[in-house]
Structure formats: structure tokens, C-alpha cells
Amino acid sequence: MSALRQTPASASAVSFPRVLRSEWIKLRSLRSTTLTLAAGLAAMVGMAVMVGLIRNHQWATMSDLQRQSVSVSYDVHVGGRFLGQLLLGVAGVLVVTGEYATGMIRATLAAVPRRLPVLTAKLTLLTLVLGATTLAASFAAWFLGSAVMSAHWHASLSDPGVLRAVVGQAVVLTATALLGASLGFLLRNTAAAIATLFGIVLVLPIVGELWTAVAPYLPSNALESVALARPDPDALAPGAGLLLFAAFTAVVLAGGIWSLLRKDA
Amino acid sequence: MIDVTDLTKRYGDRLAVDALSFRVEPGRVTGFLGPNGAGKSTTMRMIVGLDAPTAGTARVDGRAYRDHRAPLREVGVLLEAHAIHPGRSARDHLRALAATHAIPHARVEQVIDLVGLRQVAGKRAGAFSLGMGQRLGIAAALLGDPGTVILDEPVNGLDPEGVLWVRTLLRGLAAEGRTIFLSSHLMSEMALTADHLIVVGRGRLIADLPVEELTRRAASDRVLVRTPDATTLRERLAGPGVAVASGARDELEVSGLTSAQIGTVARDHGLTLHELTPQRATLEEAFMELTRDAVEYEAVAA
């Protein structure tokens, strides 16, 4: 009955590239995940254009001070970042919790009983796919946003900090998705993981505004430092901010690995 | 071959599986039978490494499941709760699993045909009926052409045609020398599909025996006789080792004699018989008898 009979089982051994390929098939075969990813990328570019159009429209009625503040701001193009961060973070959560919610995880782990390759493959895939697409979207947002505002505003990628901020925006989005996936492994529940992620990205910065001493050290604020063209004097340096966020994510991820390896599926 | 040794699973203060030991041999269908809550699913999940045992071991072909380098090529598993994402098509689901073992697309198409899902292979699994989902689960279990197949309640939700199909399929796989281990809480289904039975209740092994033996146990030596000459026949049948009980006015329940012997006695004495029926407990009754003390949830007569 089989096309496999001739192939020895040893030729079928589970390996990391094979698990990665399996995860790639899973990622692109689910409409919920692909739509969330596409929406996140579209939000980044769309918001940059929209913010530019609104500023153009308001230009005539702006005071000199307001005009000056806009013209020195490079953050026009990152207006979509928060929305993008939420959507891509959710996509990161879903890649993991979607499996727990449906029972698919049992099929996945029966195929890969060592389990850890599933986690590394999912994170690698998110890094590759989101790294590439958010970088493209970030540059698209920059160029389109600049083009829309070109009548009033002149900025170049070669201005100090700008290139780092444009690339940094892609880093922020990809890192947020990785945090989402890590929370997914830790909590195994879509609602809990999304609520926690939104708490970290949306609610903690509000706490920071009330308690300014801790503000720079909150994960989302620390991460945001890599996407600021003009460093905020109150924020951490971009490298330090990224490191702090990476350390925070690593702690969550360690919990996720523990949960994956030690708990029943 | 599956070897389970002193397998134990504890949830809090409840023992779901209690020092269970048994062996599932290749070349035959072994039924895993027990009332709901007896620990069948937990045992199967421990065999394939999804749940960690509190104590004891489960091995497939001499190795723990997780130590197989290409587990899907050795063991195929269908779990009771569907392990399928409803948003993905049947074909993509199978391709994703196949990719982990570099199993070719041709094999994916082959199992799709084998389970009869060709027409709906591109549709989202969420739109599948229970029976179609069950077929997809069986396709996934057979994907790696494994020597051992573990199925938890495979006929759940299948229509009669599907039930017959599963039965034929499993018997065929066993005939090819594979180890087939399937669970059910229905004795009647097992009687038709399995060669051997492992019966559990409250996580403990109750019986490990060929289906034939259970059938034999179910048979009794009682014979029901209906005759207008009950009193006379009763006297004529009396002898050492024979017990006769009276039922209704013209009924006798005889043990110690076969129906043939009773018929001969009746003819020799010119007695009329209206009915002569050997009494058999059904397999279902034999199974209930076996598991009587081990039923987890039982309705208490008011």
C-alpha cells in the first residue's frame, strides 16, 4: 500500500530544516495568521501615508512652532508602528496558541517528540519572515511618508539616526512578535497571551508616564529606543534598550521552554 | 510491539493510570477496552510521549517514543480529541506533518485516497463532519506507513459504512504484520474488530486475554426449556450434576446438560417441547461483569 516502503526509516529522521519546512507550510496555510501579518504590514505603510496627508492638510493652519516641530520630527513615518506592533504581536501569539487551542499541538509534538525543535523553528521562521517583511514595510513607510510630505519637509535616510530608526522599526515589530510567541508557549492560551502582550505594549507605557523614574526600563519603552531617530534624553540608548528588551523576552522564553518540555501536551 | 511496564499517571490525588503493565503484540488487532474514565486515553498519550508518566515506562519496539529518530515512520497515532487546526485544509495538514519526516507529497496523496477524502482534501478541516475529521486523523496516523498504529476511539462519529471500513482497514494492517492497538468503550465493536483484549478499569489492568476466551466465558451451560410437561420432564432430567430451576409455569432452566441431551431425554419419554434454547450471556454482559467493580461513574438506583 505504500510509496514509502522502499525508503528506509532512517532517511526520514526528524531534523531542524525539516521541522522548519513544516512550520513554513503551517504558517502560510492558515488564513488567520497570514491575514493578521498582512494587516500589520499594511497598517505600517498606510498609517505613514495617512499621517503625512493629515499633516499636509493641517499645514496651512499650523503655527510656526508646530511647523517647526513637525519638520524636525522623523516619527511621522512610524505612526503605524503601534498598530503594527499589536497586529504582528498577535500573529506571533497565534502561531503558538492556535495549536494549543485546536489540539494541533498534539499532532505536532507526536511528529517531533523532542519538542524543542518546534519552538526554535517557530521563532526562526517568525524572525526570517517578519524580519524581511517588516524591513520592506518600514522602508516603504519611510519613502511613501516622505513623498507625501515633500512639499513641507525634507529629510534623508542619511540624516543622523534615520537609517537606524527605519531599520529599528522593523526590529521593534519582529521582536514584539517573538515576545508574543514566547508568551504563547508560556501561557498556551490565546486570550491570556494577547492580554499579557497588550499589557506590556499598551498599558505599561501609561504606568511609565505616571512614574517617570521607571519609564525607560519598561520593556516596551526600552524596545522603542531603537526606533527613535532623535534619541529621547529620557530613554535608554538604542543598544541598551534593545538589550534590555531581549533580556526580558529571554526570561519569558525560558518560561515557555520550561512549559513546552515539562508539561503534558 | 508496545511494552508498557508499571505505567502510572497521577493527577493531584487521583490515579488515572495505576501501575499498568501489558504488551501489545504485532500481527493482530489488540483492543484496549474499558469504561469511560478508565485511563485509556491517558495511557495512549503516555505511549506517544505527549504526557509524562508519574512512574513506569512505555516502549514501542524497544524504545521510548521520543527516542525514535523518525517516530511517524514507526508509530501512527490518532487521538480522541482531534489534533487538527480547523483553519487548515486536510492536504496542508498532512503536508505539514509529512514535512517533518521528509515524507513525499505522493504519500500524502496516497493516504488521502486511502481514507476517501479526495473530494474534500482542499477544504478547511473545520468544515468537516465528525466522521471526515476521524478519517483525516486516520490518514495522519498512516502517513509514515508505520509498523505500529495506535487509535483512540477510531469509530467515534463514523457512519456504519465508515465503521466497517475502519474494521476492514485495521484487520488488513494487522494481517501485514503490524501492531494495531485501538481503544473503545464498546465491547460489541471490539468483538468484531479485535483478536486480543486488554481490559482496564480505574487505571488498573482487569484482563489481558484473547477475544475468544471472553466469548467462552460469556457462554454459560444453562438451557431454557419450555414444555407443557414441565413436572414430568423435571423428574426425568434429574441426575448427578444436573440442576433444574423452575421459571414460569411451563418453563425450566436446566444446567449440567446440553440442549441436545435434554432433547433426547424428552423424545425418549414422549414429552413435547415448545422451546429449547441454550442461554448465552452477551459479550457486553461478560464485559460488564468483568468491569463491574471498576466503573468510575455509575448511576445509582434510587
Side-chain angles (χ1 to χ4, degrees):
Chain A
M1 66 171 255
S2 170
L4 273 184
R5 271 292 161 74
Q6 301 84 339
T7 324
S10 58
S12 305
V14 177
S15 64
F16 181 71
R18 287 172 177 177
V19 178
L20 193 61
R21 186 170 156 65
S22 169
E23 290 300 327
W24 170 235
I25 294 170
K26 283 191 208 166
L27 185 73
R28 62 192 168 85
S29 61
L30 268 193
R31 219 182 317 160
S32 53
T33 331
T34 48
L35 282 182
T36 314
L37 285 178
L41 298 171
M44 288 172 66
V45 182
M47 288 291 279
V49 172
M50 202 169 78
V51 169
L53 289 173
I54 292 169
R55 294 248 164 106
N56 276 347
H57 184 70
Q58 293 171 335
W59 193 262
T61 58
M62 277 187 191
S63 67
D64 282 349
L65 193 67
Q66 283 173 320
R67 288 181 180 179
Q68 208 180 345
S69 124
V70 167
S71 65
V72 300
S73 161
Y74 292 88
D75 299 339
V76 178
H77 311 95
V78 297
R81 187 172 73 227
F82 300 106
L83 192 53
Q85 226 180 333
L86 296 181
L87 286 164
L88 297 181
V90 166
V93 167
L94 286 179
V95 161
V96 180
T97 59
E99 295 215 17
Y100 280 100
T102 58
M104 176 70 200
I105 192 72
R106 286 193 288 272
T108 299
L109 297 183
V112 188
R114 297 262 165 197
R115 299 191 179 186
L116 196 57
V118 172
L119 178 139
T120 40
K122 281 188 190 294
L123 296 188
T124 305
L125 191 66
L126 280 175
T127 308
L128 293 175
V129 171
L130 288 184
T133 53
T134 57
L135 198 61
S138 190
F139 275 103
W142 167 263
F143 286 117
L144 285 173
S146 302
V148 169
M149 290 276 289
S150 59
H152 310 295
W153 186 72
H154 304 284
S156 157
L157 267 183
S158 56
D159 291 353
V162 170
L163 184 60
R164 198 210 60 246
V166 173
V167 175
Q169 178 166 238
V171 172
V172 168
L173 291 156
T174 306
T176 306
L178 293 178
L179 176 63
S182 303
L183 285 168
F185 276 111
L186 179 66
L187 300 171
R188 297 183 166 190
N189 178 291
T190 307
I194 289 179
T196 308
L197 182 73
F198 282 17
I200 293 166
V201 174
L202 290 177
V203 182
L204 278 188
I206 298 171
V207 173
E209 281 176 27
L210 302 173
W211 189 10
T212 49
V214 301
Y217 307 102
L218 296 172
S220 55
N221 291 351
L223 179 62
E224 192 185 27
S225 65
V226 291
L228 298 176
R230 307 240 165 128
D232 181 339
D234 295 330
L236 292 177
L242 186 59
L243 263 180
L244 183 63
F245 185 82
F248 175 75
T249 305
V251 171
V252 175
L253 185 59
I257 291 173
W258 173 84
S259 172
L260 177 68
L261 296 184
R262 290 278 165 256
K263 283 165 75 177
D264 291 342
Chain B
M1 186 161 63
I2 304 170
D3 280 295
V4 167
T5 312
D6 295 327
L7 199 64
T8 303
K9 182 70 179 181
R10 180 184 287 279
Y11 294 110
D13 57 358
R14 187 177 152 264
L15 269 177
V17 178
D18 188 358
L20 202 53
S21 296
F22 59 81
R23 166 174 283 188
V24 183
E25 304 274 1
R28 66 187 190 195
V29 176
T30 302
F32 195 24
L33 192 61
N36 285 328
K40 302 187 298 292
S41 298
T42 307
T43 302
M44 287 182 155
R45 282 202 304 271
M46 286 193 284
I47 293 171
V48 295
L50 291 174
D51 285 10
T54 309
T57 57
R59 290 171 192 282
V60 183
D61 295 335
R63 266 193 233 178
Y65 184 85
R66 57 166 283 144
D67 291 334
H68 284 284
R69 297 189 59 227
L72 296 187
R73 294 293 305 275
E74 316 289 345
V75 186
V77 62
L78 165 76
L79 295 159
E80 188 175 13
H82 287 178
I84 294 161
H85 197 300
R88 199 171 276 127
S89 75
R91 179 176 283 114
D92 284 333
H93 173 74
L94 294 170
R95 283 191 175 182
L97 293 177
T100 59
H101 286 58
I103 292 168
H105 285 343
R107 176 61 185 170
V108 170
E109 300 305 318
Q110 209 173 24
V111 292
I112 287 173
D113 283 330
L114 182 70
V115 302
L117 288 181
R118 169 67 50 203
Q119 300 298 319
V120 293
K123 292 216 172 79
R124 294 168 66 250
F128 281 15
S129 67
L130 189 54
M132 284 151 80
Q134 209 67 321
R135 283 171 185 263
L136 178 53
I138 292 171
L142 299 179
L143 192 59
D145 192 19
T148 299
V149 179
I150 299 174
L151 308 168
D152 199 357
E153 303 272 359
V155 300
N156 257 8
L158 288 179
D159 51 21
E161 186 205 353
V163 172
L164 183 63
W165 168 73
V166 169
R167 206 179 285 154
T168 314
L169 175 76
L170 296 182
R171 298 226 52 94
L173 291 171
E176 290 170 13
R178 298 174 208 255
T179 304
I180 310 295
F181 189 41
L182 78 154
S183 76
S184 177
H185 60 280
L186 298 176
M187 179 63 220
S188 50
E189 178 51 36
M190 284 299 187
L192 293 167
T193 314
D195 306 300
H196 194 89
L197 288 177
I198 289 164
V199 184
V200 289
R202 288 191 183 172
R204 286 196 210 107
L205 187 70
I206 292 176
D208 184 341
L209 78 184
V211 172
E212 286 166 17
E213 194 185 320
L214 190 67
T215 315
R216 209 172 319 129
R217 280 197 203 176
S220 74
D221 61 350
R222 286 172 299 126
V223 178
L224 178 74
V225 184
R226 276 200 327 118
T227 166
D229 306 315
T231 318
T232 320
L233 181 63
R234 186 176 186 143
E235 285 160 13
R236 301 291 176 243
L237 290 175
V242 179
V244 183
S246 301
R249 197 161 41 84
D250 57 351
E251 271 181 22
L252 297 174
E253 199 174 66
V254 183
S255 50
L257 290 172
T258 65
S259 48
Q261 290 168 320
I262 298 167
T264 307
V265 170
R267 186 209 55 202
D268 290 350
H269 295 87
L271 302 172
T272 306
L273 296 185
H274 291 163
E275 186 179 344
L276 186 59
T277 316
Q279 299 294 287
R280 255 169 220 285
T282 62
L283 281 177
E284 208 75 54
E285 283 163 348
F287 167 57
M288 303 270 265
E289 180 70 32
L290 215 52
T291 58
R292 179 179 295 162
D293 300 327
V295 176
E296 185 98 353
Y297 310 103
E298 199 168 21
V300 177

